[in-house]
Amino acid sequence: MRAARLIKMVLLLQSRPSMTAAELARELEVSERTVTRDAQALSEAGVPVYADRGRAGGYRLVGGYRTRLTGLARSEAEALFLSGVPEALREMGLADAACAARLKVSAALLPSLRDAPDSAGRRFHLDAPAWFREPETPALLPVVAEAVWDDRRIRVRYRRGESTVGRELEPYGLVLKAGVWYLCARVAGGGAFRTYRIDRFDAVEPVDERFDRDPGFDLPAHWTGQAQRFARSLLRAEVVVRLSPQGVRRLRYAVDPISAREALADVGEPDGEGWVSVTLPVESEEVAHTQLTALGAEAEVLAPAGLRERFARDAARLAARYGRGAAG
């Protein structure tokens, strides 16, 4: 533990002209007294750490000292490519590896380029969770993430409906979608790739045996296809709607993108009022009622009859309410 901290201290000092004891204590998550002791230990080991006294003083390396400890370990190199998603790294248990990788890269840069990581951090930040939702990190995510990085099989128990199912999986990749973590994997021994919500895992146990990755597996392509199929599978009903020109323009903001795309792909000729009729795939009549209400008078439901009658009742209630004049 202390050895890793000493290495980190050297890399920090190598990447900057000087650092105060308070700055080092904050970066290393120790006390200033510990920083003083560590600096003394480095000096005794032959690392030329020099302490500048006074209010503006601090610690620095002298004599153009350069450590040779800048080679990246595999875990650090892999984590470096994820350094733009710090929360995801923390949740997967890779924050320390990413920090070490950034320090090593910074230490290897020319002095004129050492502000590049900070410069990029000030200009880009990824906030993955959706609005109005408190993200929850699955407790078993670090175990799953370690197995993914290590190509190691896992035995899992996960909730499927009202039952609990056990499987031995080959974990291929992780996806973070709107604050929810998913595992793309396939059952050990072959078969189709499937997607599992990690927050539905009740137990995860790594297996000693590793698996050979399918070189043809493409995680982004797999996820895109799965997501599109899932979204389309929810659209189990159809609604025939008559839309004004304004309704056509607003449809994609009111309903699911896939639903709007399919409906507007086959639009007939406008009628005498400039309106068009489309067949809209929807999840259910209840969902369609909520979504199409946003279009107001720019849409008219033609079928099914039950949904049309529901909008007619809504219209009658609104007419009665607004026909009474302003309250009070």
Side-chain angles (χ1 to χ4, degrees), residues 103 156 307:
L103 284 172
V156 304
L307 184 59

Side-chain angles (χ1 to χ4, degrees), residues 175-220:
V175 175
L176 177 60
K177 169 70 171 179
V180 180
W181 283 96
Y182 297 87
L183 172 67
C184 299
R186 66 179 177 184
V187 176
F193 287 95
R194 299 182 182 276
T195 303
Y196 303 83
R197 277 186 60 147
I198 296 179
D199 58 5
R200 293 180 182 166
F201 285 172
D202 287 335
V204 177
E205 178 188 358
V207 178
D208 289 339
E209 184 180 357
R210 288 185 169 87
F211 64 93
D212 295 324
R213 280 182 164 264
D214 181 349
F217 178 76
D218 184 331
L219 179 60

Side-chain angles (χ1 to χ4, degrees), residues 267-271 275-277:
V267 177
E269 291 295 322
D271 59 21
W275 289 47
V276 295
S277 296

